[in-house]
C-alpha cells in the first residue's frame, strides 16, 4: 500500500465484488426465508388427512386439499394432451420444414410476443372463448337462431355429455393453460431440435429416408430428453398458475373431485367418472391456496401454508425429474 | 477424355420417377398438419386481440362495446374509478399498477444486475453451476405463494417494525409489500437476461481493458456493463413489463383500494390486474358495463406490456447486431 | 508459397501398389458413363459455385475429385444425389444425368434417387443406435419389415464393408462406441444397405488415422468392381492410390479430367501441374 491511489482502486474493487456477492446472496437468502416461514407455519397441518379430505368452511382443522390435488391432476393431464402435440408439431414445422420462410419469421416474432402476454389476459381469452364462447349459445343468441332450438351441449354414447359452451369445467381451464404454455413448449422443443446435429439429418436423407422419416426416426428420438425436460418445466409453470384459472371460473370452494374420482384406484374402477371428469367442475391447488390465504382467520392462513408446501413439493419433484432426465441424456449422448 | 456411351439403354431408369402412393400422400400432408400447429400461435394472438377489441372497442358478436358507452377520453383521463356511479377513469388503476411496477423494478434491477455481474465476472464455474439454478427457483415459485408471503410475513414482520421506527403506519394490504415480492420474483429474469447481455460483450474488450492496467472492478463497472448497457436496458424493460402484468401477488397483498388515486405505497392499492380478478370473482353479469370494463382494462394492460416487449426486443436486436 | 516446391516431399507418381494392378480397370473407352454432368452451373444465392461443368463418370470405377478448399468439388459431388437441395437458396442450370435420366427432372423422386446414389460423409455420422439398427436403417425406411431379411442384409453389407469380423459379436451395441475408422466403415456399410449402384464419398478418410485410412482405401478398391464410386479428397496421394480417373477443380471450374496416372504424371494444364506439385492449395 505504498501507492495511495492504487490502494483506493483496490479497495473500491473489493467493495464492488462484495456488493455483487451480497446482492446474489440476498436473493437466495430471501428464498430461504420464504421456504422456512412456510415450513414453520404449515408443517403442523400436514397430514395424510390433509391430502385426502375436502375443504371445510367452518372448521379449518378439517380442511384438506383433495379436490385441488385431483383438479390440478386433471388440468395437467388435459394440458399435456392439448399442448404437447400442438407445441411439438409447431416446433417441428419451424425447425425442420419452414427453413427461414417469411411465415416462420412472423410466427417466431409472434411467439416471443405471446410469451410476454400477462397470464391474466390468457384468462380473459379463456373466459370469452371457452367458458362463454361469446355468448352465442345463450338463449335467443346466434346458435339458437341458426339451429332453431336452444343447444345445451352434445350428447354422445356411454353418457358422455359435452356442455356448450364449455362453461367452468376442467376442459376450459386446461385449454386456457394450454394456450398459456404453448409458446414455452414450442421454444423449448425448438431448442432441443436445434441441438441435434445437422449431420444426422443429412446422413438419414442420404440413405433415402423422407423428411418425415428422418424427423420421426432420428431427430425426435435424439431430442426427446430435451423435449421432455422442456415440457415438464413448462407444466411446472402451469401447475402454479392462479390468475387465469380464477378468470375461467375454477371454484374457490368445492367439496367434490372431477368425475368423483377420489383415489387412483378409481381411475380403473370408474371409467364413467374418467370420461366425465374433463366436463366437471373443479378447483386447483393454487386456487385453494389463494382462497385460504385471503380468509381473515389466522387458522386458514396456516392451512394455506400447508397447501403451499404440497404445491412446492410437487413443483420440486417436477423440476427434479426434469434435471434428472437432462443429466441422464447428457451422460448417454455426446455428439 | 473421349465420349463414353451412357448406360441408359441397358437399365430402365423410370424407377427414379415419383409414384403416387398412400404413404407419399401422408408424407406431404404431415407438413400441413405441422403448419397448422404453428399457426395456432398466430390464432392465439388474433384471438386475444379480437376478444379484447370486441368487448371494449367495437362489438361484432351482439351487444355494445365498452367504449361505445363510455368515452375513451374519459377512460384515459378520468381520475375516479367508481362503477356504481359510472366513473370509469383508468388513472387510479394505472397509478397503482405503475407504483407496484416501480417498486418491483427498484428491487429487481439492482439486485438482478449485481447478480449478473457476479455470476459472469466473479463467480467460479462451480459456484455458478450451483447458484444459477437456485436463483431460477425464485422464478419457479407460484406467484400466489409470493402474495401470501408478502401478506403474512413481509408486511407484519418486516415493514411494520421498520416503518414503526419512524412512526409511519403500514396497512394490512399495501403496495410496498406487493412491489417487493414482485421485484424478487423477477430477479432471476433480470439476472439471466443481463448475464446474457454481459456475456455477449466480446472477450477482447475485457482483455484490452486489462492490458491497460484496469482491475476487475474497472473492467466490469466501466467497460463491460456500459458495453452491455442496451442489452441490460432490454432486460429491465422486459422485467418491468412482467411486473405490470403480475397478478396474484398484488391481489393478495395489495388489497383493493377503491377510494381514488393511490400514491402512498404503505396503503392499499388497486392495480389493473387486481381489478380484473376482483370483477371476475364477483357475480357480475355478462354484458353489463362493469363486465365490459374488464376488457377495457385488459386491453390497456395488453397494450402496455406488448409495447414494452416489442421495444425490448427491438433494443435487444440492435444490441446483438453491435457485437456480431 | 511458390518456393516451397523444392523443399516439400514429393509423393510417388507411380501406380499405387503392385498387387492391385491385376484388378486395374479396363480402358475407359470400353466403359459406359454412369453419371454425367452437362453444362452444369450451380449457385448459392448470388454466388456461383460451379461454372459450366461437363463431365462423365465411368461406371464401376473410382473417380476422384481433387482441388483446393472451396473449389466446388464437394458441391459438385452433392449434385449427384441432390443433397444440395437441403440448402435454401441454391439453384442450378444444366443437367445431371444418372444413366441418361436427368435427376433434376421434376418427375424424379429424390428419395428414390438417394437410394440409388449412396453417400458417405467426411465426418462419420453413425446414428445414436445399435450397429444393427444403423445398417438396417436404409432398408427399414424403404419399408422392409422382415427381420430375417434385415439380418441377412446387415450381415452382407458389414461383410462387404470389411467390418463384420470386428462387430459380429456386438451387433446390438451402440454404434457410438466404435472407433473412428470403424464408424466410417459402418457408414459405408449403411450406405450399401440401400443397394445403390453409385457411392459418393466426401473426404471419407480425412478424419482418420493412417491405419484406418488404409483400411478404408482398401475397401474402396474392393468395392469398385460392383459400384461406381466418386470420391472427393484433398489428399492427392489418396487420389493417386485409389482412383482410376481424376478431375481437378479450381475455383468452380473443371480444369482437367482424365486417367489418374496420366493426370498425375503428365498434366495438360499448368494449373493442374502447379496444384499437384504443391505450388498452391
Amino acid at each position: 500500500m505504498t501507492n495511495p491511489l492504487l490502494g483506493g482502486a483496490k479497495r473500491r474493487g473489493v467493495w464492488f465484488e462484495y456488493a455483487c456477492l451480497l446482492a446474489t446472496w440476498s436473493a437466495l437468502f430471501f428464498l430461504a426465508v420464504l421456504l422456512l416461514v412456510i415450513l414453520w407455519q404449515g408443517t403442523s397441518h400436514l397430514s395424510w388427512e390433509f391430502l385426502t379430505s375436502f375443504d371445510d368452511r367452518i372448521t379449518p382443522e378439517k380442511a384438506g386439499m383433495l379436490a385441488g390435488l385431483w383438479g390440478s391432476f386433471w388440468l395437467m393431464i388435459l394440458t399435456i394432451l392439448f399442448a404437447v402435440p400442438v407445441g411439438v408439431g409447431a416446433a417441428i414445422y419451424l425447425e425442420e420444414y419452414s427453413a427461414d420462410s417469411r411465415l416462420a419469421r412472423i410466427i417466431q416474432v409472434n411467439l416471443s410476443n405471446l410469451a410476454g402476454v400477462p397470464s391474466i389476459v390468457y384468462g380473459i381469452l379463456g373466459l370469452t372463448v371457452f367458458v362463454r364462447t361469446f355468448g352465442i349459445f345463450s338463449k335467443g343468441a346466434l346458435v339458437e337462431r341458426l339451429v332453431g332450438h336452444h343447444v345445451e351441449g352434445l350428447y354422445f354414447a356411454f353418457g358422455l355429455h359435452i356442455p356448450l359452451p364449455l362453461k367452468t369445467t376442467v376442459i376450459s381451464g386446461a385449454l386456457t393453460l394450454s394456450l398459456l404454455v404453448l409458446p414455452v413448449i414450442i421454444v423449448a422443443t425448438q431448442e432441443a431440435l436445434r441441438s441435434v446435429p445437422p449431420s444426422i439429418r443429412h446422413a438419414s436423407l442420404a440413405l433415402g429416408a423422407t423428411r418425415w422419416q428422418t424427423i420421426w426416426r432420428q431427430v425426435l428420438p435424439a431430442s426427446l430428453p430435451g423435449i421432455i425436460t422442456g415440457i415438464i418445466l413448462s407444466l411446472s409453470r402451469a401447475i402454479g398458475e392462479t390468475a387465469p384459472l380464477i378468470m375461467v371460473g375454477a371454484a374457490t370452494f368445492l367439496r367434490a373431485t372431477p368425475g368423483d374420482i377420489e383415489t387412483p384406484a378409481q381411475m380403473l374402477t370408474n371409467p364413467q367418472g374418467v370420461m366425465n371428469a374433463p366436463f366437471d367442475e373443479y378447483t386447483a391447488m393454487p386456487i385453494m391456496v389463494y382462497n385460504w390465504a385471503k380468509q381473515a382467520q389466522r387458522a386458514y392462513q396456516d392451512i394455506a401454508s400447508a397447501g403451499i408446501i404440497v404445491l412446492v413439493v410437487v413443483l420440486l419433484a417436477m423440476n427434479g425429474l426434469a434435471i434428472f432426465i437432462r443429466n441422464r441424456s447428457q451422460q448417454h449422448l455426446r455428439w | 477424355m473421349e465420349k463414353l456411351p451412357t448406360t441408359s439403354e441397358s437399365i430402365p431408369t423410370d424407377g427414379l420417377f415419383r409414384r403416387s402412393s398412400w404413404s407419399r400422400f401422408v408424407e406431404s400432408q404431415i407438413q400441413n398438419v405441422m403448419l397448422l400447429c404453428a399457426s395456432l400461435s398466430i390464432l392465439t394472438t388474433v384471438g386475444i386481440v379480437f376478444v379484447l377489441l370486441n368487448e371494449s372497442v367495437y362489438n361484432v358478436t351482439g351487444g355494445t362495446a365498452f367504449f361505445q358507452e363510455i368515452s375513451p377520453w374519459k377512460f384515459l383521463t378520468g381520475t375516479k374509478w367508481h362503477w356504481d356511479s359510472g366513473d370509469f377513469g383508468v388513472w387510479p388503476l394505472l397509478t397503482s399498477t405503475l407504483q407496484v411496477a416501480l417498486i418491483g423494478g427498484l428491487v429487481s434491477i439492482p439486485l438482478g444486475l449485481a447478480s449478473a455481474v457476479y455470476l459472469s465476472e466473479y463467480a467460479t464455474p462451480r459456484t455458478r453451476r450451483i447458484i444459477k439454478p437456485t436463483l431460477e427457483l425464485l422464478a419457479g415459485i407460484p406467484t400466489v405463494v409470493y402474495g401470501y408471503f408478502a401478506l403474512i410475513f413481509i408486511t407484519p414482520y418486516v415493514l411494520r417494525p421498520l416503518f414503526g421506527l419512524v412512526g409511519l403506519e403500514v396497512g394490512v394490504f399495501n403496495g410496498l409489500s406487493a412491489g417487493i415480492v414482485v421485484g424478487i420474483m423477477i430477479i432471476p429474469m433480470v439476472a439471466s437476461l443481463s448475464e446474457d447481455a454481459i456475456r455477449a460483450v466480446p472477450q477482447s474488450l475485457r482483455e484490452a481493458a486489462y492490458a491497460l492496467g484496469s482491475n476487475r472492478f474497472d473492467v466490469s463497472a466501466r467497460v463491460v456493463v456500459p458495453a452491455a448497457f442496451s442489452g441490460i436496458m432490454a432486460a429491465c424493460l422486459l422485467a418491468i413489463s412482467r411486473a405490470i402484468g403480475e397478478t396474484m401477488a398484488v391481489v393478495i397483498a395489495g388489497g383493493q383500494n377503491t377510494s381514488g388515486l393511490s400514491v402512498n405505497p404503505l396503503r392499499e392499492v388497486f392495480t389493473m390486474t387486481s381489478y380484473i380478478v376482483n370483477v371476475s370473482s364477483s357475480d357480475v353479469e355478462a354484458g353489463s358495463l362493469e363486465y365490459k370494463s374488464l376488457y377495457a382494462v385488459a386491453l390497456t394492460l395488453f397494450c402496455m406490456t406488448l409495447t414494452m416487449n416489442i421495444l425490448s426486443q427491438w433494443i435487444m436486436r440492435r444490441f446483438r447486431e453491435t457485437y456480431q | 508459397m511458390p518456393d516451397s516446391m523444392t523443399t516439400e516431399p514429393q509423393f510417388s507418381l507411380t501406380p499405387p501398389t503392385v498387387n492391385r494392378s491385376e484388378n486395374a480397370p479396363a480402358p475407359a473407352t470400353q466403359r459406359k458413363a454412369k453419371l454425367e454432368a452437362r453444362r452444369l452451373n450451380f449457385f448459392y444465392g448470388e454466388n456461383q459455385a460451379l461454372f459450366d461443368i461437363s463431365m462423365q463418370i465411368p461406371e464401376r470405377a473410382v473417380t476422384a475429385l481433387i482441388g483446393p478448399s472451396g473449389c466446388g468439388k464437394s458441391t459438385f459431388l452433392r449434385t449427384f444425389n441432390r443433397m444440395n437441395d437441403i440448402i435454401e437458396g441454391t439453384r442450378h442450370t444444366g443437367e445431371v444425368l444418372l444413366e441418361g435420366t436427368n435427376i433434376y427432372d421434376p418427375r424424379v423422386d429424390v428419395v428414390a434417387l438417394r437410394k440409388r446414389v449412396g453417400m458417405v460423409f467426411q465426418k462419420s455420422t453413425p446414428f445414436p443406435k445399435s450397429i444393427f439398427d444403423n445398417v438396417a436403417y436404409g432398408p427399414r425406411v424403404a419399408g422392409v419389415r422382415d427381420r430375417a431379411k434385415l439380418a441377412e442384409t446387415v450381415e452382407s453389407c458389414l461383410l462387404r464393408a470389411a467390418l463384420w469380423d470386428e462387430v459380429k459379436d456386438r451387433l446390438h451395441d451402440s454404434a457410438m462406441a466404435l472407433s473412428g475408422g470403424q464408424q466410417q466403415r459402418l457408414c459405408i456399410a449403411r450406405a450399401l444397405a440401400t443397394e445403390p449402384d453409385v457411392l459418393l464419398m466426401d473426404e471419407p478418410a480425412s478424419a482418420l488415422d493412417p491405419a484406418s485410412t488404409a483400411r478404408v482405401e482398401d475397401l474402396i478398391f474392393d468395392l469398385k468392381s460392383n459400384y461406381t464410386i466418386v470420391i472427393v479428397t484433398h489428399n492427392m496421394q489418396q487420389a493417386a492410390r485409389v482412383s482410376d480417373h481424376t478431375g481437378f477443380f479450381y475455383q468452380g471450374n473443371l480444369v482437367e479430367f482424365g486417367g489418374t496416372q496420366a493426370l498425375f504424371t503428365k498434366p495438360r494444364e499448368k494449373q493442374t501441374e502447379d496444384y499437384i506439385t504443391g505450388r498452391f492449395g
Side-chain angles (χ1 to χ4, degrees):
Chain A
M1 294 268 175
T2 45
N3 187 338
L5 271 175
L6 203 70
K10 198 161 201 159
R11 218 171 306 131
R12 211 168 48 219
V14 171
W15 276 111
F16 181 71
E17 180 175 353
Y18 280 139
C20 289
L21 188 67
L22 189 71
T24 314
W25 281 103
S26 68
L28 300 180
F29 173 73
F30 180 90
L31 180 69
V33 171
L34 188 152
L35 294 177
L36 282 176
V37 165
I38 282 164
L39 276 177
W40 179 67
Q41 271 216 308
T43 329
S44 58
H45 290 275
L46 274 183
S47 63
W48 185 245
E49 281 69 43
F50 182 71
L51 297 176
T52 52
S53 52
F54 286 116
D55 198 359
D56 198 302
R57 253 196 244 271
I58 300 136
T59 18
E61 291 74 25
K62 285 190 190 166
M65 252 200 150
L66 185 66
L69 278 169
W70 278 102
S72 287
F73 169 79
W74 283 107
L75 281 174
M76 287 305 108
I77 293 290
L78 293 172
T79 303
I80 292 172
L81 278 177
F82 299 136
V84 170
V86 174
V88 173
I92 289 176
Y93 177 78
L94 292 173
E95 284 302 309
E96 308 288 329
Y97 282 106
S98 70
D100 214 29
S101 66
R102 197 181 149 78
L103 179 67
R105 272 202 300 277
I106 292 174
I107 294 176
Q108 203 70 61
V109 170
N110 181 49
L111 278 178
S112 44
N113 284 331
L114 274 183
V117 172
S119 61
I120 196 160
V121 173
Y122 283 95
I124 288 192
L125 179 70
L127 168 69
T128 319
V129 176
F130 304 129
V131 178
R132 293 190 54 242
T133 320
F134 301 100
I136 57 170
F137 290 100
S138 52
K139 282 211 179 345
L142 190 66
V143 173
E144 186 172 328
R145 270 181 279 144
L146 283 177
V147 186
H149 59 90
H150 184 57
V151 176
E152 282 196 333
L154 302 171
Y155 293 85
F156 295 94
F158 308 111
L160 177 63
H161 170 219
I162 298 178
L164 285 176
L166 292 170
K167 304 207 178 80
T168 57
T169 57
V170 177
I171 203 155
S172 290
L175 284 168
T176 307
L177 289 183
S178 299
L179 293 183
L180 181 72
V181 296
L182 203 54
V184 191
I185 292 185
I186 295 175
V187 171
T189 307
Q190 275 184 290
E191 255 166 50
L193 293 175
R194 240 176 270 149
S195 73
V196 177
S199 60
I200 291 286
R201 294 181 181 84
H202 294 174
S204 172
L205 290 172
L207 288 169
T210 62
R211 213 175 251 260
W212 174 246
Q213 283 173 328
T214 301
I215 294 167
W216 183 249
R217 287 164 185 254
Q218 298 297 347
V219 181
L220 278 181
S223 55
L224 203 58
I227 295 176
I228 292 178
T229 306
I231 289 171
I232 295 175
L233 291 179
S234 56
L235 285 180
S236 80
R237 182 184 159 196
I239 204 169
E241 278 293 350
T242 319
L245 290 182
I246 296 177
M247 299 303 296
V248 297
T252 46
F253 182 85
L254 188 67
R255 289 182 58 91
T257 55
D260 290 322
I261 291 173
E262 294 172 12
T263 62
Q266 285 171 1
M267 292 285 284
L268 299 172
T269 57
N270 185 2
Q272 189 71 43
V274 172
M275 205 162 62
N276 291 339
F279 308 102
D280 213 342
E281 298 242 276
Y282 68 103
T283 183
M285 286 195 282
I287 298 284
M288 298 190 79
V289 169
Y290 165 61
N291 187 41
W292 285 325
K294 65 176 187 171
Q295 304 295 323
Q297 284 163 272
R298 174 67 200 263
Y300 276 112
Q301 301 203 334
D302 291 354
I303 297 285
S305 281
I308 289 173
I309 295 174
V310 176
L311 185 57
V312 169
V313 165
V314 172
L315 278 174
L316 286 179
M318 289 170 85
N319 279 277
L321 184 66
I323 292 169
F324 174 74
I325 292 174
R326 188 164 50 199
N327 289 350
R328 234 180 93 94
S329 70
Q330 271 168 2
Q331 278 166 15
H332 275 271
L333 264 183
R334 223 166 262 128
W335 303 109
Chain B
M1 260 170 78
E2 49 280 57
K3 188 91 180 136
L4 302 182
T6 62
T7 53
S8 58
E9 305 86 14
S10 48
I11 306 165
T13 46
D14 50 310
L16 281 183
F17 290 156
R18 211 172 283 128
R19 271 164 296 199
S20 57
S21 72
W22 177 243
S23 63
R24 281 269 169 281
F25 175 74
V26 171
E27 173 86 27
S28 67
Q29 290 311 304
I30 285 172
Q31 180 169 2
N32 293 336
V33 173
M34 303 287 158
L35 173 60
L36 213 64
C37 293
S39 312
L40 194 69
S41 75
I42 302 247
L43 196 67
T44 309
T45 312
V46 173
I48 289 173
V49 173
F50 174 75
V51 161
L52 295 180
L53 293 181
N54 185 45
E55 294 283 349
S56 61
V57 177
Y58 187 84
N59 197 312
V60 294
T61 53
T64 49
F66 182 76
F67 287 128
Q68 288 170 314
E69 292 180 41
I70 300 290
S71 117
W73 179 250
K74 272 190 180 160
F75 176 79
L76 288 175
T77 56
T79 54
K80 263 206 199 140
W81 187 278
H82 279 302
W83 56 86
D84 318 327
S85 55
D87 286 319
F88 288 99
V90 80
W91 276 99
L93 303 181
L94 215 52
T95 47
S96 291
T97 303
L98 293 177
Q99 189 186 318
V100 170
L102 185 74
I103 298 168
L106 286 177
V107 171
S108 64
I109 292 172
L111 289 180
L113 186 54
S115 304
V117 171
Y118 176 74
L119 287 176
S120 63
E121 304 291 307
Y122 290 100
T124 61
R126 216 180 89 91
T127 325
R128 225 178 87 82
R129 261 206 313 280
I130 298 168
I131 289 186
K132 223 180 159 197
T134 321
L135 212 54
E136 298 289 337
L137 268 185
L138 278 175
I141 289 176
T143 59
V144 62
V145 177
Y146 281 103
Y148 172 74
F149 184 70
L151 180 69
I152 64 139
F153 187 79
I154 298 210
T155 298
Y157 296 111
V158 180
L159 298 183
R160 283 229 166 114
L162 217 60
F163 284 93
L165 292 176
V166 288
L168 286 172
E169 206 185 311
V170 181
V172 177
F173 302 105
N174 58 75
L176 184 58
S177 66
I180 290 173
V181 288
V182 166
I184 286 166
M185 73 175 85
I186 54 181
I187 285 177
M189 188 176 174
V190 179
S192 120
L193 289 173
S194 307
E195 203 199 334
D196 288 347
I198 289 173
R199 279 174 184 275
V201 173
Q203 198 60 34
S204 55
L205 208 61
R206 289 188 183 84
E207 279 157 11
Y210 279 122
L212 291 172
S214 318
N215 59 23
R216 199 119 74 153
F217 164 71
D218 289 321
V219 172
S220 26
R222 298 204 174 136
V223 177
V224 176
V225 170
F229 183 74
S230 57
I232 292 169
M233 270 285 293
C236 296
L237 264 178
L238 219 54
I240 299 286
S241 140
R242 260 290 305 275
I244 287 175
E246 175 41 46
T247 309
M248 290 323 290
V250 285
V251 168
I252 295 174
Q256 281 98 39
N257 170 30
T258 49
S259 62
L261 283 176
S262 56
V263 281
N264 183 352
L266 303 182
R267 296 271 152 225
E268 276 192 74
V269 289
F270 201 20
T271 65
M272 296 195 280
T273 49
S274 25
Y275 175 74
I276 295 170
V277 167
N278 207 34
V279 170
S280 75
S281 25
S282 61
D283 287 321
V284 291
E285 206 179 312
S288 66
L289 197 57
E290 200 183 339
Y291 174 82
K292 284 183 279 193
S293 72
L294 207 109
Y295 291 84
V297 173
L299 181 67
T300 316
L301 180 69
F302 178 74
C303 289
M304 285 171 73
T305 54
L306 187 69
T307 312
M308 296 179 85
N309 281 324
I310 291 175
L311 199 63
S312 156
Q313 281 168 31
W314 181 74
I315 296 176
M316 195 65 104
R317 201 165 40 242
R318 288 204 23 186
F319 169 69
R320 289 216 187 95
E321 280 162 9
T322 318
Y323 292 117
Q324 262 172 13
Chain C
M1 36 177 184
D3 296 326
S4 66
M5 179 196 155
T6 45
T7 53
E8 262 187 29
Q10 295 281 306
F11 55 86
S12 162
L13 295 177
T14 50
T17 45
V18 186
N19 63 334
R20 280 173 182 178
S21 54
E22 63 218 350
N23 240 349
T29 42
Q30 292 173 17
R31 296 188 161 259
K32 291 174 174 177
K34 186 76 174 180
L35 290 162
E36 183 175 357
R38 283 185 192 160
R39 314 213 58 163
L40 180 69
N41 289 284
F42 196 88
F43 304 84
Y44 291 106
E46 294 301 302
N47 301 324
Q48 185 162 4
L50 295 176
F51 296 85
D52 205 29
I53 309 278
S54 294
M55 183 176 183
Q56 290 186 315
I57 310 275
E59 65 168 344
R60 288 169 206 265
V62 179
T63 304
L65 309 177
I66 61 167
S69 307
C71 66
K73 55 190 193 297
S74 276
T75 303
F76 183 59
L77 185 79
R78 281 156 190 261
T79 57
F80 291 132
N81 66 347
R82 289 180 57 179
M83 281 303 279
N84 287 324
D85 290 15
I86 296 169
I87 304 162
E88 278 300 295
T90 56
R91 63 197 171 84
H92 75 284
T93 63
E95 290 183 328
V96 179
L97 309 174
L98 171 64
E99 293 176 355
T101 307
N102 182 10
I103 61 171
Y104 280 101
D105 186 302
R107 289 172 300 168
V108 164
D109 182 5
V110 229
V111 169
L113 170 72
R114 288 177 187 153
K115 278 175 193 148
R116 294 270 309 269
V117 183
M119 185 162 195
V120 176
F121 296 86
Q122 174 177 9
K123 203 173 144 262
S124 58
T125 49
F127 300 132
K129 298 179 166 196
S130 73
I131 295 168
F132 184 94
D133 289 341
N134 262 278
V135 183
Y137 185 74
R140 274 186 178 142
V141 297
V144 178
R145 294 266 177 280
D146 183 8
R147 273 205 72 87
K149 186 159 180 356
L150 284 174
E152 195 187 305
T153 310
V154 169
E155 181 175 349
S156 81
C157 292
L158 286 171
L159 274 170
R160 272 180 280 167
L163 192 62
W164 175 251
D165 290 335
E166 290 160 65
V167 300
K168 65 182 174 203
D169 299 324
R170 46 177 177 140
L171 286 178
H172 296 282
D173 289 2
S174 171
M176 309 297 269
L178 295 175
S179 75
Q182 288 174 325
Q183 286 189 0
Q184 196 59 299
R185 277 179 284 142
L186 177 71
C187 290
I188 294 173
R190 192 173 66 182
L192 298 180
T194 64
E195 292 169 13
D197 26 42
V198 178
L199 268 183
L200 308 176
M201 299 189 172
D202 192 352
E203 305 197 16
S206 70
L208 302 181
D209 59 85
S212 304
T213 302
R215 299 215 59 173
V216 170
E217 286 178 7
D218 286 341
L219 176 57
I220 293 170
F221 194 82
D222 294 339
L223 288 172
K224 76 172 176 189
S225 50
N226 291 311
Y227 300 91
T228 303
I229 296 173
V230 189
I231 177 171
V232 159
T233 178
H234 58 220
N235 178 336
M236 280 169 289
Q237 292 94 319
Q238 187 171 65
R241 282 195 300 267
V242 302
S243 71
D244 306 304
H245 310 279
T246 299
F248 170 61
F249 279 76
Y250 185 60
Q251 293 183 341
N253 291 292
L254 176 62
V255 177
E256 186 170 348
F257 180 46
T260 298
Q261 204 175 335
L263 187 128
F264 276 100
T265 48
K266 291 191 288 290
R268 288 193 302 272
E269 304 288 329
K270 179 82 171 64
Q271 276 171 325
T272 315
E273 189 181 347
D274 288 350
Y275 181 70
I276 60 177
T277 53
R279 275 184 213 258
F280 70 90

